[in-house]
Structure formats: C-alpha cells, structure tokens
Amino acid sequence: MLEVKNLRGGYGPVEVLRGVSFDIRPGEIAALLGSNGAGKTTASALLSGLIRPWGGEILFKGEKLTGLPSEKIVERGLIHVPEGRHIFPNLSVRENLELGAYRRGKANRARNMEKITGIFPRLKERFAQKAGTLSGGEQQMLAIGRGMMAEPELLILDEPSIGLSPLLVEEMFTLISRLNADGLPILLVEQNVLQSMEIAGRAFVMENGEITLSGPAAELMDNPELKRSYLGLS
Ligand code: ATP
C-alpha cells in the first residue's frame, strides 16, 4: 500500500532522516515509534509532502509520490493529521468537519459526517460549539474527524495522544482502532510505545533518523532492548 525506500530529508543543512525504509500493508495499523527528536514528525511531513525529500522513494498504491506537492498527495488519498491539532478555533465543530471534505464532492459528505460522529459521538454533541473551546482531547478527535472527512485511503496520525490525560489516551487508542476496524490503513506516529503496540500490527522504532527495530508489534513487545529503552523495564 505504502512503500518507503531509503527516505532522506532534513532542514537547511541538517539531515534528520538518514535513509528510512518501511512499508504499510492494506488494512493494518503500523506504528512509527521513537522518543523525542528521533525524526518521526519529519518522516510524516516527508510522506505528506509538507517538506521535500532529499532522496529515496515513496510509493503509494504502486505510484510514486516522491516530490509531489501536498495537495496532490491529499488527492490520492493519503491524509495526514499533523501534530498540534491545527483546527480552526473560531469555527464550529461542524464547520471544521465540513472543511475536511472540501476536496471531495458533496455526495458523500452527509454519510461521512454520520460515520465520523458515530465513532466520535462527543463531536456530535458539540456540533455547534466553537472548536477553540473544546477540551484538548476533543480537539484531537476533531482533527482526526476532519482528516476522515477527506476520505483517506491511508491515514497518518501524528502523535494523537500527546498532551492527553492517561484516561483520554486510553480512549484515543480505542477510537483509533475503531477507525481501522473497517480496514482503513493507519500509520500511527507516536512516542507512546506501549499503547501504540497494543493496537498496531507492526511497529518500526526510530532512533536518530534511522529505523533500529521493526517487526510484528506482539514480538517487539518482548524485545529486551525495547523494554529497556522505551518501556522502563529491565
Ligand atoms: P517529537 O516526538 O519530539 O516530535 P520527533 O521524533 O517527531 O520528535 P522531529 O520533530 O522529526 O522528531 O525532529 C527531529 C530533529 O529535527 C530534531 O533534532 C529537531 O530539532 C529537528 N527539527 C525538526 N523540525 C525542524 C525545523 N523546522 N527546522 C530545523 N530542525 C528541525
């Protein structure tokens, strides 16, 4: 579905991603994990065309995405929900969701809206509320809901659990697995290693701009190195 080969990129003279390769298979949740500064956000920005790759290749459904502008990437169905929510605070919840659909025809809008508010009932309850007055967790749900309105074929979620209370983190991960329940492939970019691996099929762990560990999440959870470095277990 998505194949990333030897992807490189950075900012100014600084190379952040130093040849990263991984793939996402149809229907799976794949987790891209790592601690602060590992390069996860840079990787997702490269995939969605927010920054231009220095080298390597990105293939989506067999077609080359490398170097395409972000609007072309969105048109192909790769939707990125960036870190930090980026909702429109003065618009209502409904208006924010509708904006997510602006590249798609009106035909499916009502159906998509219904599906999304079925998964995130809290958004429905707050339809008329200004987005800026939602709680942090609700804003995160709205950002994801808006991404869903664009009818993704692959959804990239950048740190969806950041800044949420432990209880809400739990809820967020449950909601993400529900988004995937009908087969939507998701790339979950996260620092929250343990909870991500609980819902992911496979995981890729990044350190210093490289992938240092990868494999089925269930196997990685038993990896002694990973336990030591990320789970605080010895
Ligand atoms: P976090 O979980 O803290 O967001 P991350 O794994 O997503 O970390 P990145 O945000 O990709 O890591 O950052 C990787 C490196 O790139 C860091 O050293 C960071 O300082 C640097 N970096 C990120 N954005 C920029 C930028 N716009 N300009 C210059 N350097 C940047």
Side-chain angles (χ1 to χ4, degrees):
M1 170 112 226
L2 184 82
E3 264 184 90
V4 177
K5 297 180 193 164
N6 205 18
L7 188 62
R8 293 173 42 244
Y11 310 93
V14 182
E15 185 173 47
V16 174
L17 233 60
R18 301 185 292 156
V20 162
S21 302
F22 64 95
D23 67 306
I24 302 174
R25 298 173 187 161
E28 80 171 338
I29 297 182
L32 185 61
L33 305 172
S35 47
N36 285 116
K40 308 177 300 295
T41 301
T42 305
S44 55
L46 284 163
L47 294 180
S48 60
L50 294 177
I51 56 177
R52 283 181 74 86
W54 292 4
E57 201 170 37
I58 304 165
L59 294 171
F60 183 47
K61 297 181 284 178
E63 287 177 48
K64 209 169 141 186
L65 289 190
T66 332
L68 286 184
S70 52
E71 60 272 21
K72 293 277 178 228
I73 294 177
V74 168
E75 274 168 22
R76 294 188 187 195
L78 192 154
I79 305 296
H80 177 205
V81 179
E83 187 180 343
R85 296 163 193 159
H86 298 289
I87 51 159
F88 296 99
N90 291 319
L91 298 183
S92 69
V93 167
R94 176 203 285 271
E95 287 162 337
N96 267 278
L97 287 172
E98 283 171 353
L99 279 172
Y102 79 104
R103 279 176 206 283
R104 304 287 180 238
K106 275 202 169 152
N108 297 333
R109 196 172 294 184
R111 203 189 60 204
N112 290 337
M113 191 77 95
E114 203 166 305
K115 182 175 156 194
I116 290 157
T117 50
I119 296 173
F120 299 110
R122 288 205 208 190
L123 294 182
K124 179 129 200 185
E125 289 160 20
R126 290 163 176 80
F127 239 28
Q129 191 173 326
K130 274 194 177 178
T133 65
L134 295 174
S135 74
E138 290 160 359
Q139 290 189 20
Q140 187 63 63
M141 291 174 198
L142 179 57
I144 298 174
R146 196 179 54 185
M148 291 294 292
M149 287 296 287
E151 301 181 359
E153 291 184 45
L154 170 66
L155 189 64
I156 300 180
L157 299 179
D158 209 345
E159 312 241 17
S161 79
I162 207 159
L164 303 184
S165 69
L167 208 63
L168 258 179
V169 170
E170 190 81 41
E171 185 181 343
M172 187 56 72
F173 280 98
T174 305
L175 291 170
I176 292 168
S177 43
R178 213 172 292 162
L179 290 176
N180 164 258
D182 57 5
L184 172 66
I186 296 176
L187 178 65
L188 179 60
V189 179
E190 265 289 345
Q191 286 189 39
N192 196 328
V193 171
L194 187 59
Q195 273 161 310
S196 300
M197 288 205 297
E198 278 169 2
I199 65 165
R202 289 181 309 142
F204 305 93
V205 181
M206 281 184 74
E207 260 172 77
N208 285 325
E210 289 175 349
I211 290 179
T212 50
L213 276 175
S214 62
E219 282 175 24
L220 281 184
M221 271 205 261
D222 288 329
N223 182 296
E225 198 184 322
L226 188 106
K227 278 187 179 169
R228 213 172 23 248
S229 312
Y230 295 97
L231 306 179
L233 307 167
S234 53

